Amino acid sequence: MSKCGRKKYIKTNLRQMETLDCQQDGGVPGSVAESESAHLQAQTDPNSAPTLAQVVAIAEADDSAESEGVTDSQKRREILSRRPSYRKILNELSSDVAGVPKIEEKSEEEGVPPHVAAMAVPTSIYQTSTGQYIAIAQGGAIQISTPGSDGVQGLQALTMTNSGAPPPGATIVQYAAQSADGTQQFFVPGSQVVVQDEETELAPSHMAAATGDMPTYQIRAPATALPQGVVMAASPGSLHSPQQLAEEATRKRELRLMKNREAAKECRRRKKEYVKCLESRVAVLEVQNKKLIEELETLKDICSPKTDV
DNA sequence: TGACGGTACCGTCAGAGGAT
DNA sequence: ATCCTCTGACGGTACCGTCA
């Protein structure tokens, strides 16, 4: 069996087990977090109460199953597929239970390298295929930062001096991984192109370029020899030819994929945090349970002292 | 040492649900 | 109605430990 086949086999078995659990004790199948936490609870403390999310999910599952007599797995899956986000769950938990930390709303700067965040409050952060960060601030300022370099050293601020308010939809910055001549290019508002320059030639006056070991960037007019494979940012209204439409679609797809990539990362981070919180809660409840059992034993001894016969 | 199992992580897709 | 965000599911890869 191939690795993937094996993995799929394991996953299938896991799902079957989850379904069994669901039938036995009201667990929710198809939910990794639920199965993980349920498994954790079974391992550590079978007496501990289900989480708030589990309670909600169980209640929903029971209601739907009882009222409709759901047997069709597809329908069941549809009913059970959606659950509150980890942030919501944990925040609910935190309001219910003292000591459970809230999942903080991740601020814009949080996921950004310090040498970028320290310079300005960016509105958009992008990471290039070479690991560099591009931050676009409110005023149109573009910051390009190389991770690994410390502090401000790795940052070049390219401040755009947009005259007046930018046109609607013109805040798109496009990044082309590498053009034919091996340079990196970014498209910025105002139909200009930011081009990474391999030689450290002097930049035009409207641009601030870093020097030394850091790559330099130039802002050029796109009309000047637009390299192959580069797609210009354009407002949808100006698209006419099928090629332009296709390019726009590609650009949108890339943007969506990039956003989804980041969202998935963030989601996993929250999930890990959520699981950690559940684990710590289990530990606390275990201790509480142990204390209560000891207390009960003590009280039993006091209330019913042994009599010699 | 190579095969294998387990685990962690990532990117992508699909779909639900909220926001506008 | 449309767009956007979030998250489960899936496939892929890398890494580590164990075993023959």
Side-chain angles (χ1 to χ4, degrees):
Chain A
M1 187 188 290
S2 73
K3 231 176 178 180
C4 274
R6 171 169 48 82
K7 211 145 109 179
K8 194 164 185 178
Y9 170 78
I10 292 169
K11 281 180 183 174
T12 308
N13 280 351
L14 267 176
R15 269 196 288 280
Q16 285 171 349
M17 287 163 65
E18 285 163 8
T19 308
L20 275 178
D21 285 347
C22 173
Q23 287 163 352
Q24 283 169 1
D25 59 23
V28 182
S31 164
V32 177
E34 242 70 47
S35 63
E36 279 174 355
S37 58
H39 180 233
L40 183 71
Q41 284 180 342
Q43 265 189 328
T44 54
D45 185 8
N47 295 323
S48 65
T51 68
L52 186 62
Q54 283 175 325
V55 170
V56 172
I58 289 165
E60 286 172 356
D62 285 349
D63 283 349
S64 57
E66 282 173 14
S67 60
E68 298 175 32
V70 178
T71 54
D72 180 33
S73 63
Q74 177 68 26
K75 201 169 182 180
R76 182 185 186 87
R77 187 181 153 78
E78 281 175 10
I79 291 167
L80 298 176
S81 65
R82 199 58 189 178
R83 47 192 292 278
S85 73
Y86 297 118
R87 186 184 296 154
K88 280 186 184 175
I89 292 168
L90 210 63
N91 289 346
E92 281 182 38
L93 271 176
S94 66
S95 61
D96 290 346
V97 183
V100 178
K102 283 196 173 191
I103 291 183
E104 306 255 339
E105 198 76 35
K106 197 178 177 186
S107 65
E108 285 280 0
E109 302 101 301
E110 203 174 339
V112 181
H115 41 287
V116 168
M119 297 298 288
V121 181
T123 56
S124 305
I125 305 293
Y126 302 97
Q127 188 173 18
T128 71
S129 60
T130 56
Q132 290 172 314
Y133 288 91
I134 308 167
I136 301 114
Q138 291 275 4
I142 302 168
Q143 295 169 359
I144 301 166
S145 162
T146 306
S149 56
D150 50 345
V152 188
Q153 196 184 6
L155 180 136
Q156 304 94 44
L158 304 173
T159 305
M160 299 292 298
T161 53
N162 288 333
S163 56
T171 53
I172 300 166
V173 168
Q174 279 207 341
Y175 166 67
Q178 225 169 19
S179 64
D181 57 354
T183 61
Q184 293 175 323
Q185 303 201 351
F186 315 92
F187 291 102
V188 298
S191 302
Q192 286 171 303
V193 188
V194 180
V195 182
Q196 184 184 359
D197 205 6
E198 285 198 322
E199 341 45 274
T200 55
E201 63 184 61
L202 280 178
S205 60
H206 57 279
M207 143 186 188
T211 53
D213 291 340
M214 295 299 136
T216 61
Y217 297 85
Q218 288 187 9
I219 295 177
R220 295 177 184 164
T224 58
L226 194 62
Q228 207 177 4
V230 168
V231 180
M232 278 299 301
S235 62
S238 66
L239 295 175
H240 295 300
S241 72
Q243 191 188 354
Q244 281 177 318
L245 288 172
E247 285 170 352
E248 174 70 7
T250 304
R251 190 186 62 79
K252 278 185 178 175
R253 175 183 155 78
E254 291 297 322
L255 191 65
R256 182 171 51 80
L257 287 180
M258 188 175 68
K259 279 186 178 179
N260 189 244
R261 204 178 301 137
E262 294 302 315
K265 280 180 189 169
E266 184 62 14
C267 181
R268 284 171 184 138
R269 186 189 67 81
R270 279 197 298 266
K271 186 174 179 178
K272 282 174 78 175
E273 200 172 335
Y274 170 68
V275 171
K276 273 184 188 173
C277 284
L278 288 181
E279 286 172 351
S280 60
R281 188 160 176 244
V282 165
V284 168
L285 289 174
E286 273 182 338
V287 171
Q288 279 183 2
N289 197 36
K290 199 176 174 183
K291 277 185 183 174
L292 286 171
I293 288 173
E294 286 172 2
E295 200 177 325
L296 180 65
E297 292 300 323
T298 309
L299 287 172
K300 271 185 185 173
D301 286 347
I302 292 172
C303 291
S304 58
K306 285 184 181 174
T307 54
D308 294 334
V309 180

